[in-house]
């Protein structure tokens, strides 16, 4: 099993960050560019991975009261992950994203996952910034 985690501080309230992260219709604007999520009947979703060319049944749960998203494959148990948003005093938010790969054939490796997570957090921050109307934070 391989596990990866990244975090990023964002200059916005936790609720603003979480609302942008949890917007199922806009997931493709910030998740890894090689992953596409199609929501049918939540929490059920279909995930398409460009790397493998496969569509996989998965689950996506959003817990706004906990500022947490959780996801994972349903039948294969190949991977799971979560995103947690928390406030830092009365200032910025910290966003942590964590991935666990239980099936090594789905693990693209430390460098690729690290780059994908960093890019996702950067795109999420850009999305939050553009929606908040406050580019300075």
């Amino acid at each position: 099993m391989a596990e990866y985690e990244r975090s990023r501080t964002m200059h916005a309230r936790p609720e603003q960050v979480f609302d942008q992260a949890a917007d199922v219709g806009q997931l493709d604007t910030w998740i890894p560019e090689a992953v596409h999520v199609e929501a049918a009947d939540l929490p059920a979703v279909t995930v398409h991975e460009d790397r493998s060319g496969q569509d996989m049944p998965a689950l996506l749960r959003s817990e706004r009261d906990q500022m947490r998203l959780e996801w994972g494959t349903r039948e294969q148990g190949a991977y799971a992950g979560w995103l947690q948003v928390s406030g830092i005093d009365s200032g910025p938010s910290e966003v942590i994203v964590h991935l666990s790969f239980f099936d090594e054939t789905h693990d693209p490796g430390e460098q690729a996952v690290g780059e994908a997570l960093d890019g996702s957090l950067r795109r999420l921050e850009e999305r939050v910034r553009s929606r908040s109307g406050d580019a300075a934070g």
Side-chain angles (χ1 to χ4, degrees), residues 38-114:
E38 182 180 321
D41 189 19
L42 290 174
V45 296
T46 300
V47 176
H48 177 82
E49 297 176 351
D50 290 348
R51 185 172 71 91
S52 68
Q54 295 180 347
D55 289 337
M56 299 176 66
L59 296 172
L60 174 66
R61 289 192 174 87
S62 173
E63 301 290 340
R64 190 172 198 283
D65 60 330
Q66 298 175 20
M67 300 288 165
R68 186 175 179 92
L69 290 176
E70 296 180 346
W71 60 85
T73 52
R74 287 192 304 205
E75 285 119 26
Q76 297 90 349
Y79 62 85
W82 51 263
L83 177 141
Q84 181 72 53
V85 181
S86 57
I88 301 173
D89 297 323
S90 61
S93 300
E94 180 180 26
V95 181
I96 300 171
V97 65
H98 182 96
L99 290 177
S100 299
F101 291 92
F102 307 109
D103 177 346
E104 66 185 38
T105 63
H106 286 276
D107 180 2
E110 185 174 355
Q111 181 176 350
V113 173

Side-chain angles (χ1 to χ4, degrees), residues 5-9 94-97 118 121:
E5 189 169 286
R6 290 290 199 274
S7 66
R8 188 173 185 105
T9 299
E94 180 180 26
V95 181
I96 300 171
V97 65
D118 288 337
L121 288 171

